[in-house]
């Protein structure tokens, strides 16, 4: 089966050249011209590898890479004209698997893509992530069935509440800003003064029966946002 690749690149000519080359190699390629478009395309499709430019309109490449890595282990390649070590280090620290500087050889790009796809397929066959988790305090998150129960009673979560809880629980102890949560869950660029995340977190906490002064699951990180602190039941 042909691998499906996502290319996020605002330079139309570079995107055309890369697309044509990779399609001749037998890959199925989707092109996004902005960071936000790439973020939306990533969530609407199923991709085997993602290539991201750094200097993107609407949502920069660093933010896009961070958002993708929070929800997926898909191979992630940065393709950028920025040669400085600081950009390379930052991109790799955000979870990118490789950093290719422009101008680059199309044959080299193909070789790197093939290598990462082989590695990821091997990783997928070996790695099985638990998707049914029980936490202290009676909370159960069943990702396969998109079901959350508390003391054996199912919780009626909205789609956004479920997405928020899933994201936080998949990244325990990691503090998310409200901006990051909004961009990740609503797939839109956050606007200053937007309190959508706060409203949804408040509703989610109510359904979880949380005491905001002594939470079991969602903790407020003052000046930042929120993080998941639930402890797995033994």
């Amino acid at each position: 089966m042909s691998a499906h690749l996502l290319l996020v690149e605002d330079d139309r000519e570079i995107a055309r050249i890369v697309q044509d080359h990779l399609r001749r190699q037998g890959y199925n390629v989707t092109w996004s011209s902005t960071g936000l478009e790439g973020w939306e395309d990533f969530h609407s499709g199923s991709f085997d590898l993602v290539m991201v430019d750094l200097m993107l309109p609407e949502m920069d490449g660093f933010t896009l890479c961070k958002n993708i890595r929070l929800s997926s282990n898909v191979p992630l390649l940065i393709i950028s004209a920025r040669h400085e070590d600081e950009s390379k280090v930052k991109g790799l620290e955000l979870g990118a698997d490789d950093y290719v500087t422009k101008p680059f050889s199309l044959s080299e790009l193909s070789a790197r893509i093939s290598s990462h796809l082989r590695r990821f397929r091997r990783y997928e066959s070996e790695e099985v992530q638990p998707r049914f988790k029980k936490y202290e305090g009676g909370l159960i998150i069943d990702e396969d069935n998109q079901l959350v129960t508390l003391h054996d009673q199912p919780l009626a979560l909205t789609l956004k509440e479920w997405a928020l809880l899933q994201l936080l629980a998949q990244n325990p102890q990691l503090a998310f800003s409200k901006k990051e949560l909004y961009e990740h869950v609503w797939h839109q660029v956050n606007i200053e003064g937007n309190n959508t995340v706060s409203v949804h977190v408040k509703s989610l906490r109510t359904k979880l029966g949380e005491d905001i002064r002594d939470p079991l699951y969602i903790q407020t990180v003052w000046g930042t946002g929120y993080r998941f602190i639930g402890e797995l039941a033994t």
Side-chain angles (χ1 to χ4, degrees):
M1 184 181 295
S2 175
H4 191 184
L5 314 181
L6 175 62
L7 172 63
V8 190
E9 168 63 67
D10 64 330
D11 187 311
R12 182 177 295 274
E13 184 59 21
I14 291 177
R16 183 190 63 78
I17 292 172
V18 172
Q19 275 189 105
D20 289 347
H21 171 74
L22 293 177
R23 284 171 177 165
R24 286 194 297 270
Q25 301 289 311
Y27 294 113
N28 180 13
V29 184
T30 295
W31 171 48
S32 307
S33 60
T34 73
L36 184 57
E37 183 183 342
W39 184 223
E40 293 170 344
D41 286 342
F42 179 77
H43 276 276
S44 63
S46 178
F47 297 97
D48 300 291
L49 182 142
V50 181
M51 296 164 283
V52 177
D53 186 21
L54 290 180
M55 304 299 289
L56 295 168
E58 296 182 349
M59 178 186 289
D60 67 77
F62 287 125
T63 301
L64 178 58
C65 286
K66 182 177 182 179
N67 286 343
I68 289 174
R69 185 52 76 228
L70 285 171
S71 61
S72 173
N73 288 319
V74 65
L76 184 56
L77 277 63
I78 290 176
I79 299 176
S80 176
R82 299 175 66 168
H83 291 250
E84 63 270 22
D85 289 342
E86 182 181 349
S87 294
K88 296 179 182 179
V89 170
K90 182 177 180 180
L92 295 172
E93 285 181 341
L94 288 174
D97 297 288
D98 209 344
Y99 194 109
V100 183
T101 55
K102 300 176 183 177
F104 52 83
S105 159
L106 290 174
S107 60
E108 178 190 357
L109 179 63
S110 294
R112 294 197 187 204
I113 289 172
S114 178
S115 174
H116 285 293
L117 287 174
R118 283 197 306 271
R119 217 172 292 161
F120 184 62
R121 285 165 180 160
R122 187 164 60 246
Y123 164 82
E124 276 194 313
S125 66
E126 297 172 353
E127 186 77 6
V128 178
Q129 295 292 336
R131 295 175 59 83
F132 183 92
K133 296 179 181 178
K134 294 183 178 181
Y135 296 92
E136 298 291 346
L139 177 68
I140 296 176
I141 300 177
D142 181 353
E143 292 192 47
D144 288 328
N145 296 304
Q146 198 167 321
L147 177 66
V148 179
T149 60
L150 184 65
H151 304 305
D152 298 323
Q153 297 299 313
L155 302 183
L157 302 185
T158 67
L159 288 176
K160 296 304 184 187
E161 289 168 353
W162 160 256
L164 281 168
L165 180 59
Q166 183 184 39
L167 175 61
L168 291 167
Q170 285 177 343
N171 299 276
Q173 302 301 328
L174 179 62
F176 287 87
S177 69
K178 294 177 183 179
K179 177 179 183 295
E180 289 171 336
L181 290 171
Y182 185 79
E183 291 178 350
H184 198 282
V185 173
W186 278 263
H187 308 156
Q188 299 175 22
V189 176
N190 190 46
I191 300 173
E192 188 175 352
N194 183 3
N195 68 344
T196 301
V197 170
S198 298
V199 171
H200 280 75
V201 169
K202 181 179 180 180
S203 175
L204 178 57
R205 279 172 157 169
T206 298
K207 293 178 181 180
L208 291 172
E210 288 274 71
D211 179 352
I212 193 172
R213 295 164 298 183
D214 187 25
L216 284 176
Y217 308 115
I218 300 176
Q219 181 184 65
T220 297
V221 181
W222 298 110
T224 301
Y226 308 97
R227 66 181 167 200
F228 187 82
I229 58 171
E231 296 184 8
L232 290 171
T234 56

